[in-house]
Amino acid sequence: MPAIASSKSYRVGRSKTGLGLFATMPIKKGTRIIRYFGPILDSRIPAHDEIENKYLFELNNRWTIDGSVRKNLARYINHSCRPNAESDVRPRERKVFIRAIRNIEPGDEINYDYGTDYFKAYLKPIGCKCPSCEAKRKKLRAEARAERTKVKARTEAKAKKAGKKKLNGHAVGKKNGRARA
């Protein structure tokens, strides 16, 4: 059975994407960090199936946890394409634990991959804000800027060459076709 992190091993804090859950002490790989909990919703009940909030955690096709309750601090864990934790889903027990898949240092934001369906529905339209995707976009923007600079330099060099050909044979000191006095 994996070790369970102490209740003081995380805190809610300001993140790039809003609020997030941050480690306050080292968390070892394999440690259970927190339990994701809330009322259990049955998708066979039409009223439950129509609930829309961003804290729903689907256990399977039938059962979903509504994690919007204030005591559920696990709802503050953000998405990352390169996470340091993962969800340990137990549909028969109707429980979800968040477990470290890497060593997490104090001050690190705890995050996990929300999955393909959630990503396509909510994150892809606005762009993923996780550090790995931000770094990838930053690199692509830098490469695009460098390419634009190269193209601009080439067009300026071509224009300069074209300008020299037009001025060929004229005296340098002339202005508007007249000699200076």
Side-chain angles (χ1 to χ4, degrees), residues 16-17 79-82 119 122-146 148:
K16 282 186 176 183
T17 57
H79 165 81
S80 178
C81 294
R82 289 193 180 160
F119 185 86
Y122 297 102
L123 299 176
K124 194 171 185 178
I126 60 169
C128 181
K129 305 269 190 266
C130 78
S132 63
C133 289
E134 286 285 338
K136 193 185 306 179
R137 275 196 299 277
K138 187 175 181 180
K139 181 180 175 188
L140 290 173
R141 284 193 303 265
E143 288 171 354
R145 270 193 311 276
R148 284 193 305 271

Side-chain angles (χ1 to χ4, degrees), residues 84-152:
N84 55 16
E86 69 181 0
S87 56
D88 181 11
V89 182
R90 299 179 178 190
R92 287 181 186 232
E93 299 171 29
R94 297 186 189 141
K95 290 183 181 179
V96 174
F97 294 98
I98 307 302
R99 176 169 55 91
I101 57 173
R102 289 187 288 153
N103 290 333
I104 303 171
E105 298 300 319
D108 288 352
E109 184 174 3
I110 300 167
N111 47 47
Y112 64 94
D113 189 346
Y114 285 179
T116 308
D117 294 338
Y118 188 94
F119 185 86
K120 286 180 182 176
Y122 297 102
L123 299 176
K124 194 171 185 178
I126 60 169
C128 181
K129 305 269 190 266
C130 78
S132 63
C133 289
E134 286 285 338
K136 193 185 306 179
R137 275 196 299 277
K138 187 175 181 180
K139 181 180 175 188
L140 290 173
R141 284 193 303 265
E143 288 171 354
R145 270 193 311 276
E147 185 60 30
R148 284 193 305 271
T149 305
K150 281 183 190 177
V151 169
K152 185 177 178 182

Side-chain angles (χ1 to χ4, degrees), residues 19 41 47 53 62 64 72 89 105 110 152 158 164:
L19 293 176
L41 306 176
N53 76 51
R62 181 174 175 193
T64 302
N72 180 25
V89 182
E105 298 300 319
I110 300 167
K152 185 177 178 182
K158 284 181 182 180
K164 282 184 180 179

Side-chain angles (χ1 to χ4, degrees), residues 52-66:
E52 283 290 323
N53 76 51
K54 58 184 175 180
Y55 301 117
L56 296 176
F57 197 110
E58 190 175 285
L59 295 171
N60 56 27
N61 291 336
R62 181 174 175 193
W63 302 106
T64 302
I65 296 175
D66 179 1

